[in-house]
Amino acid sequence: MPEAIADTGPVLHLHEIGCLSSLNIFELLLLPDRVVTELGMRGIDLADLEEVGIASQTIEVEPTEIESLRFSAPDLQETDLAVLFVAESRKSARIPALTDDLALRSSLESRGLVVSGSFGILLRAYADGRFDRRDFVQHVDRLLNHSSLHVGRGFRAFVHSLLQQVP
């Protein structure tokens, strides 16, 4: 896959479990400026991405562009609105948006945009042969149990059933 638009969550969560390089399934990560700021506040900068071979581009999003979406997505925070704006502006290219935020995912999907979260990224990296099944299961376990990602009981059950089906 050539490009993806990244929210803070997947980059943060994959970094926390030592799997930031899984984002190499994309040739380029497009990062709204507010995402770069949030990552920086969590001790992750663009050099961390470069260190594992991930090319990124920071996209400046003007306050007026964020405000243009606030009415149609009032439950989203400013950073989420910036991700939504970048995704909408590249909608015709079918560039996936990466997020673990349920409200943002819902807004993106309701607009017909392609969305993937941290689990989907790990699954795509596994399917691409970037690690074996044992490592894939370990990465998913660390994501569920050793990252700041919050998932409900139902999603945990879904992930565990999915793991049983993965060859």
Side-chain angles (χ1 to χ4, degrees):
M1 291 193 174
E3 297 179 350
I5 302 152
D7 188 21
T8 306
V11 177
L12 172 64
H13 301 137
L14 293 170
H15 182 267
E16 289 173 336
I17 64 167
C19 287
L20 194 57
S21 63
S22 296
L23 290 165
N24 278 328
I25 60 173
F26 304 103
E27 291 175 17
L28 178 67
L29 280 186
L30 303 173
L31 301 166
D33 53 346
R34 285 155 183 83
V35 169
V36 173
T37 300
E38 282 190 358
L39 290 170
M41 291 173 16
R42 289 164 175 82
I44 304 167
D45 60 31
L46 299 180
D48 294 313
L49 296 172
E50 290 174 21
E51 190 174 299
V52 293
I54 299 167
S56 65
Q57 177 183 349
T58 302
I59 308 292
E60 299 293 325
V61 181
E62 298 297 325
T64 54
E65 295 166 331
I66 288 173
E67 287 305 314
S68 70
L69 292 171
R70 194 170 299 279
F71 180 74
S72 65
D75 54 335
L76 297 184
Q77 297 177 4
E78 190 171 297
T79 300
D80 299 334
L81 290 168
V83 172
L84 181 59
F85 178 81
V86 173
E88 284 250 297
S89 69
R90 287 164 172 75
K91 185 175 185 174
S92 63
R94 303 280 301 156
I95 297 172
L98 311 177
T99 187
D100 289 327
D101 182 279
L102 293 178
L104 178 55
R105 175 183 281 272
S106 178
S107 289
L108 290 160
E109 288 176 342
S110 72
R111 289 165 168 80
L113 297 162
V114 177
V115 184
S116 185
S118 295
F119 292 103
I121 294 164
L122 288 174
L123 184 59
R124 288 179 189 188
Y126 167 69
D128 198 35
R130 295 178 187 259
F131 35 78
D132 63 24
R133 186 182 192 293
R134 184 183 60 81
D135 288 340
F136 172 63
V137 171
Q138 288 178 347
H139 297 330
V140 169
D141 178 67
R142 285 198 318 270
L143 190 60
L144 286 172
N145 299 305
H146 303 287
S147 75
S148 60
L149 177 64
H150 299 284
V151 297
R153 214 176 300 182
F155 190 72
R156 282 180 187 273
F158 168 75
V159 169
H160 286 294
S161 70
L162 177 67
L163 287 176
Q164 293 175 354
Q165 298 172 21
V166 172

